[in-house]
Amino acid sequence: MTGAVELGLIYAVMALGVYLTFRILDFPDLTVDGSFTAGGATAAILIVNGVNPFAATAAGAAAGLVAGTITGLLHTKGGINPLLAGILTQIGLYSINLRIMDGANVPLLRQETLITPLRDAEVLGTWVSILIFAALALVIKVVMDWFLNTDLGLAIQATGDNPAMIRSFGVNTHRTKILGLALSNGLVALCGALIAQYQGFADISMGIGLIIAGLASVILGQAIIPPRIIVVATAAVIAGSVLYRVAIQIALEVGLDPNDMKLVSAVLVVLALVLPKWSVLRRVPSIRSIRRSAAVEPTAGDR
């Protein structure tokens, strides 16, 4: 289970990127599957060729920035539908990733990576590594919270909320969309680079279906922790990522076939979306509503 928590914290970086496009920009970006693999492939091939793991990881994130920028240009300058723009970039990245790796996979088992010190110290799978990965996710969350509250970040938020209104203030929504998509896919590719080093290889199929995992993390987290401000929303995304990986681990431990995990992911997303809308569950009072009722209920003296 500690391994599941570790993976949840690493994948939280990807989930924050998905949150940026789907919730902040209101842009259904399907580039994620390709940019995740691009980050892992770029980092892996550079590490194999002797590049410093930190520089290789940064290069992997940069590959995601480029992928997101291409999707943004296809949509804004090419006038292509958001879904189709993401699909086109994703399809193109499949061939590009094969070119980068010069094959279907790149092993990293005997290479020096960012995870090697943790593996050598035998702290992987312990609370020490969980704290390290939690610190990483927290640093990225804090930077993202800060950025989204700057003038540029607020412009990106406004682009997703009401593009016509923000254009009336002279903001170029094409630029904010491209920037948002670039940053989102940069985070996704950064996660891909970290996962490749964590699992010891980069593979052409490592990003297949990843968008479901990202959406599941965002939806699960925000179903449990209702987002009211950015700080809370990003915390909910991290929590959702951990819960999603724990749920997958539980499904494996109860005996489900690993081939069914994509189905489990789809069911989790459906439940997170549907359950809050059921009238039976809406009639169940929440703790907050009970406290509110108790606060306004007249006392015996008032009567």
Side-chain angles (χ1 to χ4, degrees):
M1 195 61 69
T2 54
V5 176
E6 281 181 352
L7 281 174
L9 291 169
I10 299 175
Y11 276 108
V13 179
M14 176 273 299
L16 288 170
V18 172
Y19 166 77
L20 186 56
T21 49
F22 277 84
R23 290 297 196 213
I24 299 296
L25 270 182
D26 194 23
F27 190 103
D29 182 25
L30 298 184
T31 315
V32 171
D33 290 12
S35 59
F36 181 85
T37 306
T42 302
I45 199 66
L46 289 175
I47 289 173
V48 167
N49 284 278
V51 176
N52 181 277
F54 286 98
T57 304
L65 289 171
V66 174
T69 301
I70 292 173
T71 299
L73 290 172
L74 289 175
H75 170 61
T76 58
K77 305 303 181 183
I80 299 176
N81 176 275
L83 281 172
L84 184 56
I87 291 172
L88 289 172
T89 307
Q90 178 194 136
I91 292 174
L93 282 173
Y94 187 89
S95 295
I96 293 172
N97 292 334
L98 285 172
R99 290 279 189 175
I100 291 173
M101 294 188 292
D102 195 25
N105 57 73
V106 177
L108 294 171
L109 296 179
R110 297 183 179 180
Q111 305 295 328
E112 185 76 18
T113 69
L114 295 180
I115 307 299
T116 301
L118 301 180
R119 188 172 285 113
D120 291 343
E122 298 182 352
V123 297
L124 278 182
T126 67
W127 289 106
V128 175
S129 61
I130 288 177
L131 290 175
I132 292 173
F133 293 132
L136 171 66
L138 183 60
V139 168
I140 294 176
K141 168 196 159 28
V142 170
V143 173
M144 187 171 176
D145 293 340
W146 167 80
F147 173 74
L148 289 176
N149 282 285
T150 62
D151 290 343
L152 182 56
L154 292 172
I156 291 176
Q157 292 187 59
T159 300
D161 290 336
N162 193 332
M165 180 273 293
I166 196 65
R167 277 196 298 268
S168 69
F169 287 98
V171 174
N172 188 328
T173 54
H174 285 185
R175 291 180 181 175
T176 53
K177 285 183 179 180
I178 293 172
L179 177 59
L181 287 165
L183 293 176
S184 169
N185 284 279
L187 288 174
V188 171
L190 173 61
C191 180
L194 294 173
I195 288 296
Q197 296 172 70
Y198 180 87
Q199 64 188 11
F201 65 91
D203 188 83
I204 191 63
S205 63
M206 64 187 292
I208 294 178
L210 195 74
I211 188 62
I212 295 296
L215 286 174
S217 302
V218 173
I219 294 169
L220 282 175
Q222 296 189 349
I224 296 172
I225 308 174
R228 297 187 180 277
I229 56 176
I230 293 295
V231 174
V232 176
T234 51
V237 170
I238 295 175
S241 178
V242 174
L243 287 173
Y244 171 76
R245 291 296 159 183
V246 169
I248 293 296
Q249 183 63 30
I250 292 174
L252 289 171
E253 290 186 356
V254 299
L256 289 183
D257 193 318
N259 294 328
D260 296 332
M261 289 305 102
K262 298 298 183 185
L263 176 61
V264 172
S265 300
V267 170
L268 285 174
V269 174
V270 170
L271 290 176
L273 288 171
V274 172
L275 287 180
K277 298 180 181 179
W278 284 3
S279 58
V280 175
L281 294 178
R282 284 205 303 267
R283 287 198 292 268
V284 177
S286 64
I287 295 176
R288 182 175 295 177
S289 64
I290 293 173
R291 288 176 177 173
R292 190 181 297 114
S293 299
V296 299
E297 185 177 355
T299 62
D302 294 333
R303 295 192 186 94

